[in-house]
Amino acid sequence: MRRVVALAAVLALAGCVGPRPVPPATTAVVPPPAWRTQLGSGAPVTTGWWQAFGDPVLPGLIERALAGNPDLGAAIARVEEARAAERLARANRAPLISVGVPTTEGQTVSPFGTPSTALGVQPLFQASYDLDLFGRLRALNRATRAQALASEGARDTVRLAIAAQVATGYISLRALDQRLAIARETLAARAEALRIARRRAETGYTSNLELRQAEGEYRATEQLVPAAELAVARQENALSLLMGDNPGPIPRGLPLDRFVVPVVPNGLPADLLRRRPDLYQAEQTLVAADRSLDSARAALLPGLSLTGSAGVVLSTALANPIGVFSIGGSILSPLFDGGRLRAQASAATARRDQAAFAYRRAALTAFREVDDNLAGVLRSGQQAAALEAQRQALAGALRNASNRYRAGYSSYIDQLDAQRGLLTAELTLVQARADRLNAFVQLYQALGGGWSPADVAAVTR
């Protein structure tokens, strides 16, 4: 199985270094031009990939979790908040038009000296518009757009994590079910051994030592059953919480040993990593920091605003209405602000650098997680195969020891040792099978949503 070895472009983006000629400062970490092209908001989390395990219940559980998980609901609400902030930033670039209807009241004096009251109404429309000559508002708008996209990446990260957690939790639940079944089967075998030991002791064929040993072994196995039942109940409650439900029973599908192991094709395309939502989130966070830096630098330059107003004056003191209007403009340029604007630009530069290093770390982490999980898939399979061979050998040893004990050729301690060894091997094998399946789940998450037949066909070609 070959490793995923591409996505060099991502690392090249993350490690790109060079000066940027925009004043007032340069930095060692510079946003590459390719950041202007977004990777995509990640692959949609679907339940189709989970059918590869062959269990009919698992896809439905994941669908329920994606529909009712409270953490995902909060992530979706944060996306809506980010989109509202984007609309607000876009609205700041539009002209602002307002209307007012001020009223006045005063005294007038007629030619004959008779005072009278004059009422006036002035409907007035006002408009203002920032020309944004140097792109301060445009850069701020793009920054909020990138922040909204980053929030979508965070939402998809939560969705991907929830799907993986449900799959891992369900596999763990089936492993606990199998451990409980093994404990009950072993308890039944211990009960039969205790019955035989009691009968042999009552007839005087053996001493009470074997009876006490059999009874102690039965009690030791008996306590495994309630412990396994408690673990099953807790795992069911954890899965119910992931699906946004009250604690309750979870439907079951196939037993753990009948799960189908997905086939990992050799040489998966590294472009699969480009679908990782956390990598997309880090990229858009970097884009937002870069645009915020553009806006902070544009704030150092002059700004031009246009204002205008128009209205009609209606008054009882006037024979006819009077129309009024005004048009003006203003140029504002910072002369002395104590270094505030430059300090804001420097802070924006530092935040951009932090986002660049975070993006590079996200890319490196993606490579590491894929490599770790590919190795986990391979090694856990080898471990499960070795444990299966050990279990078969110990099962044969137990049969031989039981036959020899019943025939009187060996002591009870030989059978007891064989029983203990087989129980340990069976429980360890169950955990190894669960670990192997969970390794595939983690590989699915590391690749940003698994792989499809089209991806495999692309590798084949």
Side-chain angles (χ1 to χ4, degrees), residues 91-439:
N92 289 335
R93 296 184 57 195
L96 177 62
I97 301 176
S98 60
V99 62
V101 187
T103 60
T104 59
E105 181 178 353
Q107 296 289 330
T108 61
V109 180
S110 67
F112 301 99
T114 303
S116 63
T117 302
L119 298 176
V121 180
Q122 302 178 14
L124 186 65
F125 291 89
Q126 296 179 337
S128 61
Y129 179 64
D130 191 336
L131 292 182
D132 194 24
L133 293 178
F134 300 99
R136 178 181 61 85
L137 295 180
R138 290 193 298 272
L140 188 60
N141 185 23
R142 292 168 182 169
T144 55
R145 171 60 178 167
Q147 290 170 356
L149 294 177
S151 67
E152 293 180 3
R155 175 205 60 197
D156 292 341
T157 300
V158 174
R159 296 177 72 238
L160 193 64
I162 289 173
Q165 289 174 9
V166 171
T168 300
Y170 180 72
I171 291 172
S172 299
L173 177 62
R174 300 305 287 143
L176 291 173
D177 289 338
Q178 193 162 355
R179 290 173 67 93
L180 177 59
I182 291 174
R184 288 172 175 170
E185 292 174 359
T186 305
L187 183 62
R190 297 291 191 276
E192 178 64 16
L194 177 60
R195 185 188 65 81
I196 295 175
R198 181 178 288 112
R199 187 182 62 181
R200 291 165 66 96
E202 289 173 353
T203 58
Y205 189 77
T206 59
S207 64
N208 288 333
L209 175 61
E210 290 186 0
L211 175 62
R212 297 309 178 191
Q213 288 175 334
E215 184 177 1
E217 195 66 19
Y218 174 81
R219 298 304 177 186
T221 307
E222 187 180 28
Q223 58 88 23
L224 295 178
V225 175
E229 292 174 341
L230 175 60
V232 168
R234 288 177 173 175
Q235 189 63 31
E236 285 183 322
N237 294 339
L239 280 173
S240 298
L241 177 60
L242 281 174
M243 292 181 291
D245 297 334
N246 291 323
I250 300 296
R252 306 304 205 267
L254 296 177
L256 187 69
D257 55 357
R258 292 180 57 191
F259 270 59
V260 178
V261 177
V263 178
V264 181
N266 291 331
L268 284 172
D271 283 345
L272 293 177
L273 296 185
R274 295 172 64 87
R275 304 181 309 178
R276 283 179 58 118
D278 59 338
L279 188 59
Y280 176 75
Q281 178 186 1
E283 180 194 68
Q284 293 304 319
T285 301
L286 179 53
V287 173
D290 185 38
R291 298 302 188 182
S292 298
L293 176 58
D294 292 340
S295 178
R297 287 173 171 172
L300 294 169
L301 303 174
L304 175 61
S305 298
L306 299 179
T307 58
S309 63
V312 178
V313 178
L314 305 174
S315 176
T316 58
L318 300 175
N320 297 310
I322 299 176
V324 295
F325 69 91
S326 66
I327 298 176
S330 61
I331 299 178
L332 299 178
S333 178
L335 295 179
F336 178 76
D337 61 355
R340 294 180 181 87
L341 295 178
R342 288 185 175 271
Q344 291 175 0
S346 298
T349 302
R351 286 192 293 268
R352 193 273 312 272
D353 293 348
Q354 295 173 37
F357 286 117
Y359 177 55
R360 187 172 190 271
R361 177 176 177 82
L364 294 174
T365 301
F367 276 104
R368 177 195 170 181
E369 289 180 353
V370 171
D371 192 71
D372 287 348
N373 291 307
L374 283 174
V377 167
L378 176 63
R379 303 309 175 190
S380 61
Q382 295 174 348
Q383 182 186 19
L387 287 171
E388 175 62 28
Q390 181 189 18
R391 188 198 66 81
Q392 293 178 2
L394 290 175
L398 177 59
R399 288 192 298 269
N400 294 335
S402 299
N403 294 334
R404 290 175 60 85
Y405 172 68
R406 290 189 179 95
Y409 291 110
S410 63
S411 63
Y412 177 70
I413 195 62
D414 294 335
Q415 177 181 338
L416 190 60
D417 289 341
Q419 289 175 342
R420 291 172 178 173
L422 179 59
L423 176 61
T424 302
E426 288 180 337
L427 295 178
T428 305
L429 177 59
V430 169
Q431 187 60 47
R433 287 172 174 169
D435 291 342
R436 186 185 185 190
L437 294 173
N438 286 330

Side-chain angles (χ1 to χ4, degrees), residues 76-90 144-145 147-149 151-152 155:
I76 294 174
R78 287 191 290 269
V79 171
E80 295 301 324
E81 179 185 5
R83 289 174 178 171
E86 179 189 359
R87 292 193 298 268
L88 177 61
R90 190 166 54 247
T144 55
R145 171 60 178 167
Q147 290 170 356
L149 294 177
S151 67
E152 293 180 3
R155 175 205 60 197

